[in-house]
Amino acid sequence: MESKEENRIVNTRFAPSPTGLLHIGGARTALFNYLWAKHNGGRFLLRFEDTDQERTSAEFEESILNDLKWLGILPDEDATRQTERTERYREVLEELRRRNAAYACFCPHDESPGAKRPRADKCRFISPHEREARLLSGEPYCVRFASPQSDDAVIFRDTLRGKMPVKGSSVGDFVLARSDGSPTYLFAVVADDHDFGISHVIRGEEHLSNTPKQELIYRALGWEVPEWIHIPMVLDSERHKLSKRSGAISVASYREDGWSPEALVSYMATLSWAGAPVDRISRAAALAEGFDIRDVSLDSPMHDQERMNHFGKMAMRELPAESLLREYDKLFPRSDTRGGHIDSDRAALINELLPSCSCKKDMERSIGEVFLPKYPRETADEAWMRDIRMALSLVTPELWYSENLKNILREFQRERGLKGKILYHCLRMRLTGAEHGVPIALLMGCLGRENVLERFDTADL
Ligand code: GLU
């Protein structure tokens, strides 16, 4: 199959409601929209669905935009807002009424989008005369869509699922505009997607139930219907929709923890796209060439922190050692840091810790842990313990670096005929209180002379 959409301009959009922070699930929807548009040389747009004025906020809008930019999922135009298009919605609504596809409903019904339709014969079929009179009298009304009344199927086509038939009469006369004139989400989306030339609506499968309604609006207006593509939801390990509760952390907090945006993007690409590269990290723009929305699997992917860490670690390894050293320098104990070899010891320690770090915060934590003594721990009280302290106390600050310390320990071990395992284990326990950790000479080099000697003494207490 040719992987580009033949003869069709591909424009996509991401349409979040700015009622919260961007999470992995939403960001992955944005990514797939971006990738499919870029794969086909089209435009990727951002629209804030802010009609729910009580829940939306400018701060969330800003943070979603910043997160997308940080991830490299860049919209091709300034973001639009539904609240800025009120006049246009009114126009389209008028057009629907003119085409007898919408009618004023005076019933004091619950106007929420999911609410049950009124009895169809109540307002849909009142005489034009009565309707006119009631409108003129200022009676409040909402506007409903005149849905099919027969059981004939409304069929829409989803690119990933094929034909999706829905019993016509089950759609119901849903609300297009509330009694205060504000458009519902169901309706505004259609007007927006049409006006902005959106050719492919790629969104979460939780919107599947909205699609027959939106398809009917398109048809009633004689507009070209976009391609519908509903991607499976990202689930947590208990197979629930990913949420804050299930540990889905916002993109903003990953950013704060010093994750690489490329690691996040590369990980998100693997959520339902089997073709996503797993052996390297990639920028969003670089993934577009190989992406095909038609390859997206319908199985719901599970958020897999381990896999995400795998990408995070790859990204950490690509950071220049120099910049890491500069960044973490302040976390090293300050005493005894003279001497030309100290820098190389610190760099060696960072290298040692790097394979287990997925983000910069991990590195910060790991360095902190290395220097955190876990006293008191019992250690062997052999005479050699005092002697090695004595030997180490004779090392001048200039010679206090790991290569030299390694030689001193080795020499000491040989002279005393000690088993390496015993010597190093006891030293580690004495100096850190931990059973395992980075090579002991490296630890001592980074810790510095004074700190090491002090730990010998503190542990003796
Ligand atoms: N505003 C909707 C949401 O945040 C998206 C609507 C759509 O993509 O059509 O879930």
Side-chain angles (χ1 to χ4, degrees):
M1 193 201 277
E2 165 57 49
S3 84
K4 309 247 185 242
E5 282 280 283
E6 286 123 48
N7 309 321
R8 191 160 186 200
I9 292 168
V10 173
N11 293 328
T12 64
R13 58 26 170 213
F14 178 49
S17 311
T19 54
L21 295 172
L22 186 65
H23 287 256
I24 290 284
R28 177 263 217 159
T29 302
L31 176 67
F32 283 11
N33 273 286
Y34 169 87
L35 293 179
W36 191 229
K38 296 296 130 190
H39 179 82
N40 291 286
R43 285 178 310 143
F44 165 68
L45 305 181
L46 174 64
R47 175 176 77 230
F48 287 115
E49 307 211 314
D50 57 350
T51 49
D52 182 349
Q53 286 288 287
E54 269 170 31
R55 292 175 59 226
T56 61
S57 87
E59 286 77 39
F60 286 135
E61 236 184 69
E62 197 182 319
S63 97
I64 292 171
L65 188 60
N66 286 341
D67 287 345
L68 290 175
K69 284 186 181 160
W70 177 70
L71 289 167
I73 304 175
L74 302 173
D76 287 300
E77 288 172 19
D78 287 346
T80 51
R81 278 175 207 87
Q82 289 188 322
T83 43
E84 290 164 358
R85 289 175 38 82
T86 318
E87 203 39 55
R88 174 61 179 153
Y89 301 136
R90 210 166 284 151
E91 236 173 76
V92 180
L93 204 59
E94 241 354 273
E95 180 60 21
L96 280 168
R97 286 170 81 171
R98 214 176 48 75
R99 291 172 176 241
N100 288 326
Y103 63 92
C105 172
F106 303 97
C107 301
H109 280 280
D110 179 1
E111 295 181 356
S112 56
K116 275 214 168 331
R117 64 171 164 158
R119 275 180 44 217
D121 54 357
K122 199 96 190 283
C123 296
R124 182 162 169 178
F125 299 113
I126 56 177
S127 69
H129 177 73
E130 182 185 342
R131 177 175 300 125
E132 205 53 37
R134 290 173 77 170
L135 287 175
L136 276 176
S137 75
E139 197 175 329
Y141 66 96
C142 69
V143 180
R144 288 185 183 271
F145 186 79
S147 286
Q149 300 222 292
S150 80
D151 281 344
D152 291 350
V154 175
I155 301 173
F156 70 92
R157 202 181 168 286
D158 178 282
T159 305
L160 303 176
R161 292 153 215 266
K163 281 185 182 168
M164 303 287 286
V166 179
K167 202 162 123 188
S169 58
S170 71
V171 175
D173 287 2
F174 52 91
V175 178
L176 297 167
R178 304 177 189 94
S179 52
D180 63 2
S182 64
T184 56
Y185 148 76
L186 269 172
F187 165 60
V189 165
V190 173
D192 293 335
D193 286 342
H194 168 76
D195 289 358
F196 289 93
I198 301 302
S199 60
H200 292 67
V201 171
I202 302 171
R203 58 187 178 188
E205 65 192 350
E206 67 271 26
H207 288 290
L208 267 171
S209 61
N210 296 325
T211 311
K213 295 174 182 154
Q214 294 178 330
E215 170 106 11
L216 286 170
I217 302 176
Y218 275 98
R219 289 187 201 167
L221 288 161
W223 288 348
E224 187 181 358
V225 181
E227 243 185 76
W228 303 111
I229 303 162
H230 294 88
I231 57 178
M233 254 185 291
V234 184
L235 304 178
D236 66 17
S237 54
E238 270 147 31
R239 304 203 67 78
H240 295 136
K241 187 181 173 189
L242 204 60
S243 68
K244 214 171 188 170
R245 227 171 350 130
S246 51
I249 309 169
S250 62
V251 170
S253 63
Y254 283 120
R255 173 150 49 128
E256 248 167 56
D257 283 353
W259 276 79
S260 130
E262 288 83 18
L264 250 68
V265 159
S266 305
Y267 165 67
M268 291 189 300
T270 67
L271 297 170
S272 303
W273 176 33
V278 290
D279 56 350
R280 61 176 185 275
I281 53 157
S282 318
R283 288 183 310 112
L287 289 171
E289 178 60 28
F291 182 76
D292 193 326
I293 195 72
R294 292 162 295 196
D295 289 343
V296 165
S297 147
L298 283 182
D299 299 330
S300 302
M302 280 210 293
H303 175 51
D304 182 345
Q305 192 59 49
E306 275 305 305
R307 190 174 347 136
M308 191 166 153
N309 291 347
H310 158 78
F311 285 106
K313 287 171 187 172
M314 274 194 276
M316 286 294 285
R317 283 201 293 271
E318 286 186 11
L319 293 175
E322 278 284 289
S323 77
L324 283 173
L325 186 56
R326 234 177 293 123
E327 203 159 326
Y328 296 113
D329 194 49
K330 60 184 179 304
L331 296 178
F332 286 85
R334 285 285 64 165
S335 66
D336 269 338
T337 50
R338 281 162 292 145
H341 296 269
I342 296 295
D343 258 6
S344 63
D345 275 354
R346 279 182 281 176
L349 183 73
I350 287 173
N351 267 331
E352 187 75 28
L353 299 174
L354 204 51
S356 58
C357 295
S358 308
C359 61
K360 291 188 173 171
K361 180 100 174 260
D362 281 353
M363 177 59 87
E364 210 171 296
R365 204 179 299 125
S366 302
I367 294 178
E369 275 169 11
V370 166
F371 295 118
L372 196 72
K374 298 173 187 75
Y375 300 142
R377 295 294 294 262
E378 271 187 27
T379 54
D381 198 20
E382 287 95 348
W384 61 257
M385 192 60 92
R386 278 188 293 277
D387 298 343
I388 187 74
R389 187 207 181 281
M390 173 61 77
L392 290 170
S393 71
L394 298 176
V395 181
T396 59
E398 286 70 27
L399 290 177
W400 193 272
Y401 56 90
S402 66
E403 269 314 298
N404 190 39
L405 296 167
K406 207 188 320 180
N407 289 336
I408 292 172
L409 293 181
R410 217 179 271 149
E411 185 70 7
F412 184 81
Q413 180 199 345
R414 206 177 43 77
E415 269 176 19
R416 299 298 176 102
L418 287 168
K419 277 202 171 127
K421 214 173 146 198
I422 303 249
L423 173 70
Y424 294 111
H425 179 74
C426 291
L427 272 180
R428 185 184 302 288
M429 292 288 275
R430 177 68 57 116
L431 295 177
T432 68
E435 303 263 356
H436 306 282
V438 297
I440 195 74
L442 181 56
L443 176 89
M444 285 173 23
C446 290
L447 206 48
R449 183 175 173 277
E450 279 169 28
N451 287 317
V452 167
L453 297 179
E454 195 183 298
R455 284 186 183 203
F456 269 103
D457 301 341
T458 317
D460 270 340
L461 288 174

